[in-house]
Amino acid sequence: MSESETKTNLDDLLSETKSVRAELEKINAHNLIRTYDSLPSLLFFMFLKGIAFGLGSVVGATIVVSVLVYILGQVQMMPIIGEWIRALLEIIQSEQI
C-alpha cells in the first residue's frame, strides 16, 4: 500500500468512527436510556408495564371467553354436544348471578 492509500483508509476510518460516536451520543440522550439509568424511574416504568400487561390480558381473555360462550350457545342445537353445552351454559349463567 502506498502512503496516500493508507492516509485515505485512515481518513475513512476516522470519519466512520466519528459517525458511530455521534449515533451513540444520540442513543444515550434518548429518554428510554435515561429511564433505565435511574432505579426509581426504572421501577415505576416496569410497574406501569405490568399494569398494562395485566389489563390487556384480562380484556383479551374476556373477549375470547365471550366469543367462545356465544359460539357454544349457537352450537347447543346439535343433538350430542348440545346437552353438554347446555349444562355448561347453565353453570356459567348461575355463576354470573
Side-chain angles (χ1 to χ4, degrees):
M1 272 188 170
S2 70
E3 188 175 318
S4 64
E5 289 177 353
T6 304
K7 184 172 169 119
T8 304
N9 287 341
L10 287 177
D11 289 340
D12 290 343
L13 183 62
L14 182 62
S15 68
E16 287 179 21
T17 304
K18 285 181 181 180
S19 66
V20 168
R21 184 179 201 164
E23 290 298 320
L24 282 175
E25 287 175 2
K26 286 181 190 176
I27 289 172
N28 283 333
H30 196 272
N31 285 337
L32 187 62
I33 299 299
R34 280 191 263 153
T35 299
Y36 284 140
D37 257 354
S38 165
L39 183 62
S41 54
L42 175 64
L43 291 175
F44 182 69
F45 180 74
M46 291 298 171
F47 176 71
L48 290 179
K49 183 178 171 183
I51 288 176
F53 176 77
L55 183 63
S57 297
V58 168
V59 169
T62 302
I63 291 171
V64 168
V65 169
S66 298
V67 169
L68 185 64
V69 167
Y70 176 76
I71 291 171
L72 288 176
Q74 300 302 316
V75 176
Q76 80 179 13
M77 306 296 178
M78 293 182 175
I80 298 172
I81 302 175
E83 291 184 31
W84 178 74
I85 293 173
R86 189 175 302 118
L88 183 63
L89 288 175
E90 287 174 4
I91 291 171
I92 291 173
Q93 289 173 353
S94 68
E95 293 293 326
Q96 288 177 354
I97 299 174

